[in-house]
Amino acid sequence: MANVVKGMDQAMKAMDLEKISAVMDKFETQFEDLDVATGYYENATSSATAVGTPQEDVDRLMNKVADEAGVELNQEMEAATPAKTKVGPTEQDEENLGERLRALRS
């Protein structure tokens, strides 16, 4: 493409209509080739990503695995609630860390 643009610049400087026409034809050919290649790539990627496992098969497999593990998946998920306990250092740990920090600063 860069060569075509350079060719167009040279043809425009000379104002040679035959050269301009030839460069434009070459540009059009290359653009059409690029369009075909892009279309092929888009078609290939859309075909590859369109293939997938149906949701029913996924659900069936999850239930089978849960049955084998002895888990009631639906009940466990519905009964799950977020933890309300504080995760991290306890108040005693915080005091000890504060004392160590004061000792290091002094």
Side-chain angles (χ1 to χ4, degrees):
M1 293 292 263
N3 291 337
V4 172
V5 173
K6 288 178 186 176
M8 290 174 85
D9 286 340
Q10 292 172 356
M12 291 297 286
K13 286 179 186 174
M15 291 306 283
D16 185 357
L17 292 178
E18 289 179 18
K19 282 186 179 179
I20 292 173
S21 178
V23 169
M24 295 294 283
D25 289 341
K26 184 177 179 183
F27 178 79
E28 186 176 355
T29 302
Q30 288 182 349
F31 188 77
E32 288 173 355
D33 291 346
L34 180 64
D35 191 36
V36 168
T38 303
Y40 178 77
Y41 175 75
E42 288 175 354
N43 187 23
T45 55
S46 67
S47 295
T49 56
V51 177
T53 306
Q55 186 64 37
E56 292 173 353
D57 292 346
V58 173
D59 292 339
R60 198 173 310 120
L61 180 61
M62 286 179 64
N63 287 329
K64 179 181 176 186
V65 171
D67 288 344
E68 289 174 1
V71 176
E72 291 295 326
L73 188 61
N74 291 335
Q75 291 178 355
E76 294 290 328
M77 288 195 166
E78 290 173 8
T81 57
K84 294 182 181 178
T85 59
K86 182 180 175 184
V87 177
T90 62
E91 191 174 318
Q92 181 66 31
D93 291 337
E94 295 246 352
E95 284 180 27
N96 292 341
L97 290 172
E99 289 174 13
R100 288 179 56 196
L101 181 59
R102 281 189 290 280
L104 289 172
R105 287 184 177 166
S106 55

PDB file of all heavy atoms in Angstrom, residues 31-58:
ATOM      1  N   PHE A  31      -6.624  -3.351  -3.010  1.00  0.00           N
ATOM      2  CA  PHE A  31      -7.705  -3.136  -2.049  1.00  0.00           C
ATOM      3  C   PHE A  31      -8.708  -4.279  -2.102  1.00  0.00           C
ATOM      4  O   PHE A  31      -9.186  -4.745  -1.064  1.00  0.00           O
ATOM      5  CB  PHE A  31      -8.383  -1.796  -2.327  1.00  0.00           C
ATOM      6  CG  PHE A  31      -9.363  -1.400  -1.279  1.00  0.00           C
ATOM      7  CD1 PHE A  31      -8.929  -0.892  -0.068  1.00  0.00           C
ATOM      8  CD2 PHE A  31     -10.730  -1.549  -1.484  1.00  0.00           C
ATOM      9  CE1 PHE A  31      -9.833  -0.526   0.921  1.00  0.00           C
ATOM     10  CE2 PHE A  31     -11.639  -1.198  -0.503  1.00  0.00           C
ATOM     11  CZ  PHE A  31     -11.190  -0.683   0.692  1.00  0.00           C
ATOM     12  N   GLU A  32      -9.038  -4.753  -3.296  1.00  0.00           N
ATOM     13  CA  GLU A  32      -9.959  -5.880  -3.438  1.00  0.00           C
ATOM     14  C   GLU A  32      -9.362  -7.149  -2.829  1.00  0.00           C
ATOM     15  O   GLU A  32     -10.071  -7.914  -2.166  1.00  0.00           O
ATOM     16  CB  GLU A  32     -10.305  -6.114  -4.906  1.00  0.00           C
ATOM     17  CG  GLU A  32     -11.227  -5.049  -5.474  1.00  0.00           C
ATOM     18  CD  GLU A  32     -11.435  -5.179  -6.971  1.00  0.00           C
ATOM     19  OE1 GLU A  32     -10.786  -6.038  -7.609  1.00  0.00           O
ATOM     20  OE2 GLU A  32     -12.250  -4.417  -7.508  1.00  0.00           O
ATOM     21  N   ASP A  33      -8.048  -7.368  -3.044  1.00  0.00           N
ATOM     22  CA  ASP A  33      -7.383  -8.531  -2.437  1.00  0.00           C
ATOM     23  C   ASP A  33      -7.439  -8.451  -0.918  1.00  0.00           C
ATOM     24  O   ASP A  33      -7.688  -9.454  -0.236  1.00  0.00           O
ATOM     25  CB  ASP A  33      -5.925  -8.620  -2.900  1.00  0.00           C
ATOM     26  CG  ASP A  33      -5.802  -8.975  -4.372  1.00  0.00           C
ATOM     27  OD1 ASP A  33      -6.805  -9.417  -4.970  1.00  0.00           O
ATOM     28  OD2 ASP A  33      -4.689  -8.802  -4.918  1.00  0.00           O
ATOM     29  N   LEU A  34      -7.205  -7.270  -0.392  1.00  0.00           N
ATOM     30  CA  LEU A  34      -7.267  -7.069   1.056  1.00  0.00           C
ATOM     31  C   LEU A  34      -8.681  -7.308   1.566  1.00  0.00           C
ATOM     32  O   LEU A  34      -8.875  -7.926   2.619  1.00  0.00           O
ATOM     33  CB  LEU A  34      -6.803  -5.652   1.411  1.00  0.00           C
ATOM     34  CG  LEU A  34      -6.822  -5.289   2.891  1.00  0.00           C
ATOM     35  CD1 LEU A  34      -5.827  -6.155   3.659  1.00  0.00           C
ATOM     36  CD2 LEU A  34      -6.488  -3.828   3.071  1.00  0.00           C
ATOM     37  N   ASP A  35      -9.669  -6.864   0.817  1.00  0.00           N
ATOM     38  CA  ASP A  35     -11.065  -7.062   1.211  1.00  0.00           C
ATOM     39  C   ASP A  35     -11.423  -8.543   1.247  1.00  0.00           C
ATOM     40  O   ASP A  35     -12.098  -9.014   2.175  1.00  0.00           O
ATOM     41  CB  ASP A  35     -11.979  -6.313   0.238  1.00  0.00           C
ATOM     42  CG  ASP A  35     -13.413  -6.242   0.736  1.00  0.00           C
ATOM     43  OD1 ASP A  35     -13.613  -6.106   1.961  1.00  0.00           O
ATOM     44  OD2 ASP A  35     -14.324  -6.313  -0.109  1.00  0.00           O
ATOM     45  N   VAL A  36     -10.955  -9.294   0.247  1.00  0.00           N
ATOM     46  CA  VAL A  36     -11.214 -10.735   0.213  1.00  0.00           C
ATOM     47  C   VAL A  36     -10.542 -11.426   1.397  1.00  0.00           C
ATOM     48  O   VAL A  36     -11.141 -12.268   2.073  1.00  0.00           O
ATOM     49  CB  VAL A  36     -10.735 -11.346  -1.125  1.00  0.00           C
ATOM     50  CG1 VAL A  36     -10.733 -12.864  -1.059  1.00  0.00           C
ATOM     51  CG2 VAL A  36     -11.609 -10.862  -2.268  1.00  0.00           C
ATOM     52  N   ALA A  37      -9.274 -11.062   1.666  1.00  0.00           N
ATOM     53  CA  ALA A  37      -8.545 -11.670   2.786  1.00  0.00           C
ATOM     54  C   ALA A  37      -9.230 -11.349   4.115  1.00  0.00           C
ATOM     55  O   ALA A  37      -9.364 -12.217   4.985  1.00  0.00           O
ATOM     56  CB  ALA A  37      -7.103 -11.189   2.802  1.00  0.00           C
ATOM     57  N   THR A  38      -9.682 -10.124   4.274  1.00  0.00           N
ATOM     58  CA  THR A  38     -10.373  -9.729   5.507  1.00  0.00           C
ATOM     59  C   THR A  38     -11.682 -10.493   5.666  1.00  0.00           C
ATOM     60  O   THR A  38     -12.007 -10.966   6.755  1.00  0.00           O
ATOM     61  CB  THR A  38     -10.642  -8.217   5.501  1.00  0.00           C
ATOM     62  OG1 THR A  38      -9.414  -7.523   5.348  1.00  0.00           O
ATOM     63  CG2 THR A  38     -11.310  -7.768   6.784  1.00  0.00           C
ATOM     64  N   GLY A  39     -12.418 -10.622   4.577  1.00  0.00           N
ATOM     65  CA  GLY A  39     -13.671 -11.379   4.625  1.00  0.00           C
ATOM     66  C   GLY A  39     -13.443 -12.833   4.993  1.00  0.00           C
ATOM     67  O   GLY A  39     -14.190 -13.417   5.777  1.00  0.00           O
ATOM     68  N   TYR A  40     -12.391 -13.428   4.434  1.00  0.00           N
ATOM     69  CA  TYR A  40     -12.062 -14.819   4.752  1.00  0.00           C
ATOM     70  C   TYR A  40     -11.712 -14.959   6.228  1.00  0.00           C
ATOM     71  O   TYR A  40     -12.172 -15.876   6.904  1.00  0.00           O
ATOM     72  CB  TYR A  40     -10.892 -15.286   3.882  1.00  0.00           C
ATOM     73  CG  TYR A  40     -10.450 -16.691   4.176  1.00  0.00           C
ATOM     74  CD1 TYR A  40     -11.175 -17.781   3.721  1.00  0.00           C
ATOM     75  CD2 TYR A  40      -9.313 -16.937   4.946  1.00  0.00           C
ATOM     76  CE1 TYR A  40     -10.783 -19.076   4.002  1.00  0.00           C
ATOM     77  CE2 TYR A  40      -8.911 -18.226   5.234  1.00  0.00           C
ATOM     78  CZ  TYR A  40      -9.643 -19.292   4.762  1.00  0.00           C
ATOM     79  OH  TYR A  40      -9.257 -20.566   5.052  1.00  0.00           O
ATOM     80  N   TYR A  41     -10.899 -14.041   6.738  1.00  0.00           N
ATOM     81  CA  TYR A  41     -10.490 -14.089   8.145  1.00  0.00           C
ATOM     82  C   TYR A  41     -11.708 -13.932   9.061  1.00  0.00           C
ATOM     83  O   TYR A  41     -11.862 -14.669  10.039  1.00  0.00           O
ATOM     84  CB  TYR A  41      -9.462 -12.992   8.432  1.00  0.00           C
ATOM     85  CG  TYR A  41      -9.088 -12.892   9.880  1.00  0.00           C
ATOM     86  CD1 TYR A  41      -8.256 -13.839  10.460  1.00  0.00           C
ATOM     87  CD2 TYR A  41      -9.574 -11.869  10.687  1.00  0.00           C
ATOM     88  CE1 TYR A  41      -7.910 -13.763  11.795  1.00  0.00           C
ATOM     89  CE2 TYR A  41      -9.245 -11.790  12.017  1.00  0.00           C
ATOM     90  CZ  TYR A  41      -8.416 -12.730  12.566  1.00  0.00           C
ATOM     91  OH  TYR A  41      -8.093 -12.662  13.882  1.00  0.00           O
ATOM     92  N   GLU A  42     -12.571 -12.982   8.754  1.00  0.00           N
ATOM     93  CA  GLU A  42     -13.764 -12.771   9.588  1.00  0.00           C
ATOM     94  C   GLU A  42     -14.670 -13.995   9.567  1.00  0.00           C
ATOM     95  O   GLU A  42     -15.221 -14.385  10.594  1.00  0.00           O
ATOM     96  CB  GLU A  42     -14.523 -11.539   9.110  1.00  0.00           C
ATOM     97  CG  GLU A  42     -13.828 -10.232   9.444  1.00  0.00           C
ATOM     98  CD  GLU A  42     -14.541  -9.024   8.864  1.00  0.00           C
ATOM     99  OE1 GLU A  42     -15.523  -9.194   8.095  1.00  0.00           O
ATOM    100  OE2 GLU A  42     -14.121  -7.906   9.179  1.00  0.00           O
ATOM    101  N   ASN A  43     -14.817 -14.608   8.398  1.00  0.00           N
ATOM    102  CA  ASN A  43     -15.651 -15.800   8.280  1.00  0.00           C
ATOM    103  C   ASN A  43     -15.061 -16.956   9.089  1.00  0.00           C
ATOM    104  O   ASN A  43     -15.784 -17.675   9.786  1.00  0.00           O
ATOM    105  CB  ASN A  43     -15.805 -16.192   6.810  1.00  0.00           C
ATOM    106  CG  ASN A  43     -16.791 -17.316   6.622  1.00  0.00           C
ATOM    107  OD1 ASN A  43     -17.663 -17.534   7.450  1.00  0.00           O
ATOM    108  ND2 ASN A  43     -16.656 -18.034   5.520  1.00  0.00           N
ATOM    109  N   ALA A  44     -13.739 -17.119   9.005  1.00  0.00           N
ATOM    110  CA  ALA A  44     -13.084 -18.212   9.733  1.00  0.00           C
ATOM    111  C   ALA A  44     -13.208 -18.024  11.241  1.00  0.00           C
ATOM    112  O   ALA A  44     -13.490 -18.971  11.973  1.00  0.00           O
ATOM    113  CB  ALA A  44     -11.616 -18.309   9.331  1.00  0.00           C
ATOM    114  N   THR A  45     -13.009 -16.800  11.718  1.00  0.00           N
ATOM    115  CA  THR A  45     -13.084 -16.570  13.162  1.00  0.00           C
ATOM    116  C   THR A  45     -14.511 -16.682  13.675  1.00  0.00           C
ATOM    117  O   THR A  45     -14.741 -17.189  14.771  1.00  0.00           O
ATOM    118  CB  THR A  45     -12.497 -15.208  13.554  1.00  0.00           C
ATOM    119  OG1 THR A  45     -13.138 -14.177  12.804  1.00  0.00           O
ATOM    120  CG2 THR A  45     -11.009 -15.159  13.314  1.00  0.00           C
ATOM    121  N   SER A  46     -15.477 -16.219  12.891  1.00  0.00           N
ATOM    122  CA  SER A  46     -16.861 -16.325  13.360  1.00  0.00           C
ATOM    123  C   SER A  46     -17.314 -17.779  13.368  1.00  0.00           C
ATOM    124  O   SER A  46     -18.074 -18.190  14.242  1.00  0.00           O
ATOM    125  CB  SER A  46     -17.797 -15.472  12.509  1.00  0.00           C
ATOM    126  OG  SER A  46     -17.888 -15.988  11.197  1.00  0.00           O
ATOM    127  N   SER A  47     -16.828 -18.572  12.428  1.00  0.00           N
ATOM    128  CA  SER A  47     -17.184 -19.994  12.412  1.00  0.00           C
ATOM    129  C   SER A  47     -16.554 -20.720  13.599  1.00  0.00           C
ATOM    130  O   SER A  47     -17.171 -21.589  14.197  1.00  0.00           O
ATOM    131  CB  SER A  47     -16.704 -20.649  11.115  1.00  0.00           C
ATOM    132  OG  SER A  47     -17.377 -20.105  10.016  1.00  0.00           O
ATOM    133  N   ALA A  48     -15.334 -20.356  13.916  1.00  0.00           N
ATOM    134  CA  ALA A  48     -14.635 -21.025  15.015  1.00  0.00           C
ATOM    135  C   ALA A  48     -15.258 -20.671  16.353  1.00  0.00           C
ATOM    136  O   ALA A  48     -15.354 -21.516  17.248  1.00  0.00           O
ATOM    137  CB  ALA A  48     -13.163 -20.648  15.010  1.00  0.00           C
ATOM    138  N   THR A  49     -15.686 -19.428  16.534  1.00  0.00           N
ATOM    139  CA  THR A  49     -16.247 -19.028  17.820  1.00  0.00           C
ATOM    140  C   THR A  49     -17.715 -19.403  17.945  1.00  0.00           C
ATOM    141  O   THR A  49     -18.245 -19.430  19.044  1.00  0.00           O
ATOM    142  CB  THR A  49     -16.077 -17.512  18.046  1.00  0.00           C
ATOM    143  OG1 THR A  49     -16.685 -16.816  16.955  1.00  0.00           O
ATOM    144  CG2 THR A  49     -14.622 -17.136  18.160  1.00  0.00           C
ATOM    145  N   ALA A  50     -18.369 -19.669  16.814  1.00  0.00           N
ATOM    146  CA  ALA A  50     -19.786 -20.027  16.869  1.00  0.00           C
ATOM    147  C   ALA A  50     -19.984 -21.435  17.401  1.00  0.00           C
ATOM    148  O   ALA A  50     -21.049 -21.766  17.917  1.00  0.00           O
ATOM    149  CB  ALA A  50     -20.412 -19.902  15.485  1.00  0.00           C
ATOM    150  N   VAL A  51     -18.965 -22.274  17.262  1.00  0.00           N
ATOM    151  CA  VAL A  51     -19.073 -23.652  17.750  1.00  0.00           C
ATOM    152  C   VAL A  51     -18.901 -23.622  19.259  1.00  0.00           C
ATOM    153  O   VAL A  51     -17.933 -23.118  19.780  1.00  0.00           O
ATOM    154  CB  VAL A  51     -17.992 -24.543  17.111  1.00  0.00           C
ATOM    155  CG1 VAL A  51     -18.052 -25.947  17.676  1.00  0.00           C
ATOM    156  CG2 VAL A  51     -18.145 -24.563  15.607  1.00  0.00           C
ATOM    157  N   GLY A  52     -19.866 -24.160  19.953  1.00  0.00           N
ATOM    158  CA  GLY A  52     -19.784 -24.165  21.407  1.00  0.00           C
ATOM    159  C   GLY A  52     -20.652 -25.268  21.970  1.00  0.00           C
ATOM    160  O   GLY A  52     -21.392 -25.941  21.268  1.00  0.00           O
ATOM    161  N   THR A  53     -20.549 -25.440  23.254  1.00  0.00           N
ATOM    162  CA  THR A  53     -21.333 -26.459  23.938  1.00  0.00           C
ATOM    163  C   THR A  53     -22.670 -25.860  24.341  1.00  0.00           C
ATOM    164  O   THR A  53     -22.702 -24.788  24.938  1.00  0.00           O
ATOM    165  CB  THR A  53     -20.576 -26.946  25.186  1.00  0.00           C
ATOM    166  OG1 THR A  53     -19.288 -27.365  24.786  1.00  0.00           O
ATOM    167  CG2 THR A  53     -21.302 -28.069  25.861  1.00  0.00           C
ATOM    168  N   PRO A  54     -23.767 -26.522  24.052  1.00  0.00           N
ATOM    169  CA  PRO A  54     -25.076 -26.010  24.462  1.00  0.00           C
ATOM    170  C   PRO A  54     -25.178 -25.916  25.982  1.00  0.00           C
ATOM    171  O   PRO A  54     -24.591 -26.717  26.715  1.00  0.00           O
ATOM    172  CB  PRO A  54     -26.055 -27.052  23.913  1.00  0.00           C
ATOM    173  CG  PRO A  54     -25.313 -27.784  22.847  1.00  0.00           C
ATOM    174  CD  PRO A  54     -23.867 -27.734  23.250  1.00  0.00           C
ATOM    175  N   GLN A  55     -25.917 -24.922  26.456  1.00  0.00           N
ATOM    176  CA  GLN A  55     -26.054 -24.681  27.890  1.00  0.00           C
ATOM    177  C   GLN A  55     -26.668 -25.887  28.597  1.00  0.00           C
ATOM    178  O   GLN A  55     -26.295 -26.198  29.730  1.00  0.00           O
ATOM    179  CB  GLN A  55     -26.906 -23.430  28.137  1.00  0.00           C
ATOM    180  CG  GLN A  55     -26.984 -23.023  29.590  1.00  0.00           C
ATOM    181  CD  GLN A  55     -25.633 -22.617  30.157  1.00  0.00           C
ATOM    182  OE1 GLN A  55     -24.829 -22.004  29.475  1.00  0.00           O
ATOM    183  NE2 GLN A  55     -25.384 -22.974  31.404  1.00  0.00           N
ATOM    184  N   GLU A  56     -27.568 -26.588  27.944  1.00  0.00           N
ATOM    185  CA  GLU A  56     -28.189 -27.763  28.560  1.00  0.00           C
ATOM    186  C   GLU A  56     -27.153 -28.835  28.876  1.00  0.00           C
ATOM    187  O   GLU A  56     -27.200 -29.468  29.929  1.00  0.00           O
ATOM    188  CB  GLU A  56     -29.249 -28.352  27.630  1.00  0.00           C
ATOM    189  CG  GLU A  56     -30.455 -27.459  27.444  1.00  0.00           C
ATOM    190  CD  GLU A  56     -31.402 -27.990  26.386  1.00  0.00           C
ATOM    191  OE1 GLU A  56     -31.065 -28.983  25.705  1.00  0.00           O
ATOM    192  OE2 GLU A  56     -32.489 -27.411  26.238  1.00  0.00           O
ATOM    193  N   ASP A  57     -26.185 -29.022  27.969  1.00  0.00           N
ATOM    194  CA  ASP A  57     -25.129 -30.009  28.209  1.00  0.00           C
ATOM    195  C   ASP A  57     -24.255 -29.600  29.392  1.00  0.00           C
ATOM    196  O   ASP A  57     -23.849 -30.438  30.192  1.00  0.00           O
ATOM    197  CB  ASP A  57     -24.265 -30.182  26.955  1.00  0.00           C
ATOM    198  CG  ASP A  57     -25.025 -30.847  25.815  1.00  0.00           C
ATOM    199  OD1 ASP A  57     -26.116 -31.406  26.077  1.00  0.00           O
ATOM    200  OD2 ASP A  57     -24.521 -30.814  24.675  1.00  0.00           O
ATOM    201  N   VAL A  58     -23.974 -28.310  29.487  1.00  0.00           N
ATOM    202  CA  VAL A  58     -23.166 -27.823  30.606  1.00  0.00           C
ATOM    203  C   VAL A  58     -23.899 -28.049  31.922  1.00  0.00           C
ATOM    204  O   VAL A  58     -23.309 -28.550  32.897  1.00  0.00           O
ATOM    205  CB  VAL A  58     -22.830 -26.323  30.416  1.00  0.00           C
ATOM    206  CG1 VAL A  58     -22.138 -25.758  31.647  1.00  0.00           C
ATOM    207  CG2 VAL A  58     -21.962 -26.104  29.179  1.00  0.00           C
TER     208      VAL A  58
END
